[in-house]
Amino acid sequence: MTVESIPVQAAPKSLVWQGDELVSAAGGGQASGHDGVAWEEAFAEIFFFDAGTTSASGRYSALYQERNLEGLLLERGEVVRELVRSDELAGDYDYPLALGALSDGREVVVHCPDEYNVLQIEDAASGERLTAGEREPQDVFHSKLSLSPDGRYLLSVGWLWHPFGVAMVYDTALALTDPGTLDGDGLVPTTTALNGEVTAGCWLDADRLVVATGTEGGGTDEAELPPGRLGVWSMSEGRWLHRSPIADAEPGVLLLPRGDQVVSFRGHPRLLDTATGRLVAEWPEVGLPVKDTCYGVDHIPSPVAALHPDGTRLAVAQAESIALITLP
C-alpha cells in the first residue's frame, strides 16, 4: 500500500476518474502524475460552488453550493441550465442531488427543486419533469442522493426533525407512473425499525445496499440496525444480509463501494469489510475534516474522493494536494 501526493494550487471541488486521469466534475482540472496541476474549475470559482458530482457515463456533471441554493448542470463542460433547491433550512444540511441513468437509459437529475421533502426526477437533456403529479410528502429533509447502478432504485440519506438521520429507498420505475411513491417510507425498513442514526449509504451493486449508523441512538427499541453498524440489504430478497459492528470509528457521511468492501472517510480513509465490519486498512496520514452527519448548523465540507473503476486506486482531495492511495 502506498500513498502518493499530487500537488495542486487549489483544492478540487470534485473528483472523477476518466480512464487513468483524474478530472473535475466540470472538466477543469486534470491530473495524471507527480508534477502537479493548476486545478482550474472556472464555474466553481465564479459562482462560489464548493461541491460537485458526475453521472456514471461522464456525460453530465453538476456543481453546486453544498449549503446554499444554487447549482449548474453541465454536459461535457458546457452549461445546460441552472439548478436550485428549496430554501427551507438550506444552510443547515447538504444539497440533495444525484445524476445518473434510469433503467431505460435516460440520463436524469434527481433533486428537490420546489420543496425540501419532495423528490423530483427530471430528464437531464430537456429538463422535463418526469414525476409531476399529486404529492403528499412526509416531513423529511432529503439530502445525500444516489441511484443504483442500474437506475432502478434511488437512495436518500436525509434527516427527520429531531434531528435524526434516516435512509429511504424508492423504486424509480414505479415513481414514473405514480410520483406519490416517492413520498412514503420507501422499500427498506430504515425509518421504522432502526435504533441507530443513519449517516451514510451507498450501492455495492444493483441489488445490495449498504447503510451505516453512527453511535447516536434514538429510534425504536426493536432495532433491526442498532447504533454503530454496517447493514447490507438485498433489494431482491427483501432482507438484511449482514448487520455488523463497525470497527474503530463512526462511519461519517461518505461511503464508496469496492466489491464487498466500502471506504469511509471520517477523519481519514478507512477500508471496511461489509460482511463483518472489520477494518481492512486505514490511512491516518491522509487527514480529513471530521463530519458525522449531512446536517448541522456548522458547515463541515463533505470529503471529496474518487475510487478508480478497477478498485485499485483511491484519490482524496487535500488542501494543497490530491492523495493517491494504492489499495490492498
Side-chain angles (χ1 to χ4, degrees), residues 5 49 57 72 142 148 194 212 302 306:
S5 182
F49 296 136
S57 69
L72 282 180
H142 294 293
S148 60
L194 265 67
S302 295

Side-chain angles (χ1 to χ4, degrees), residues 153-173:
Y153 300 109
L154 170 68
L155 168 66
S156 169
V157 177
W159 56 286
L160 304 172
W161 186 260
H162 287 290
F164 194 77
V166 295
M168 298 176 176
V169 181
Y170 303 101
D171 186 323
T172 60

Side-chain angles (χ1 to χ4, degrees), residues 120-314:
Q120 298 287 2
I121 302 174
E122 297 175 352
D123 182 84
S126 67
E128 177 191 359
R129 186 162 295 181
L130 306 178
T131 48
E134 294 295 324
R135 305 291 291 272
E136 295 182 3
Q138 59 179 309
D139 193 19
V140 58
F141 289 82
H142 294 293
S143 187
K144 303 289 188 182
L145 305 180
S146 60
L147 287 161
S148 60
D150 62 355
R152 174 66 187 275
Y153 300 109
L154 170 68
L155 168 66
S156 169
V157 177
W159 56 286
L160 304 172
W161 186 260
H162 287 290
F164 194 77
V166 295
M168 298 176 176
V169 181
Y170 303 101
D171 186 323
T172 60
L174 187 59
L176 297 185
T177 58
D178 183 3
T181 58
L182 294 173
D183 296 334
D185 287 336
L187 305 174
V188 179
T190 56
T191 59
T192 59
L194 265 67
N195 190 16
E197 177 179 33
V198 177
T199 68
C202 70
W203 297 95
L204 290 181
D205 50 41
D207 180 64
R208 293 179 302 159
L209 167 73
V210 176
V211 294
T213 56
T215 57
E216 184 73 21
T220 176
D221 291 334
E222 299 178 0
E224 292 192 12
L225 203 62
R229 295 294 197 277
L230 273 184
V232 181
W233 178 271
S234 168
M235 300 301 297
S236 61
E237 297 183 30
R239 67 181 182 91
W240 296 106
L241 303 179
H242 308 288
R243 289 171 286 178
S244 306
I246 300 175
D248 184 52
E250 292 196 40
V253 299
L254 177 64
L255 298 176
L256 293 183
R258 184 193 187 226
D260 293 325
Q261 301 171 330
V262 291
V263 185
S264 69
F265 293 87
R266 184 183 185 273
H268 63 267
R270 296 173 174 85
L271 184 63
L272 304 173
D273 179 80
T274 58
T276 64
R278 180 178 64 89
L279 179 67
V280 178
E282 62 180 329
W283 297 270
E285 66 270 36
V286 181
L288 293 165
V290 173
K291 182 171 183 173
D292 290 323
T293 63
C294 65
Y295 64 84
V297 176
D298 295 327
H299 177 214
I300 300 171
S302 295
V304 175
L307 184 64
H308 192 281
D310 67 9
T312 62
R313 284 165 288 174
L314 174 68

Side-chain angles (χ1 to χ4, degrees), residues 20-33:
D20 287 328
E21 291 188 331
L22 282 164
V23 301
S24 73
Q30 182 170 306
S32 58

Side-chain angles (χ1 to χ4, degrees), residues 12-14 44 48-52 63-67 299 301 304:
K13 309 295 190 300
S14 60
F48 303 103
F49 296 136
D50 57 9
L63 289 167
Y64 55 93
Q65 295 172 312
E66 191 168 52
R67 289 294 180 92
H299 177 214
V304 175

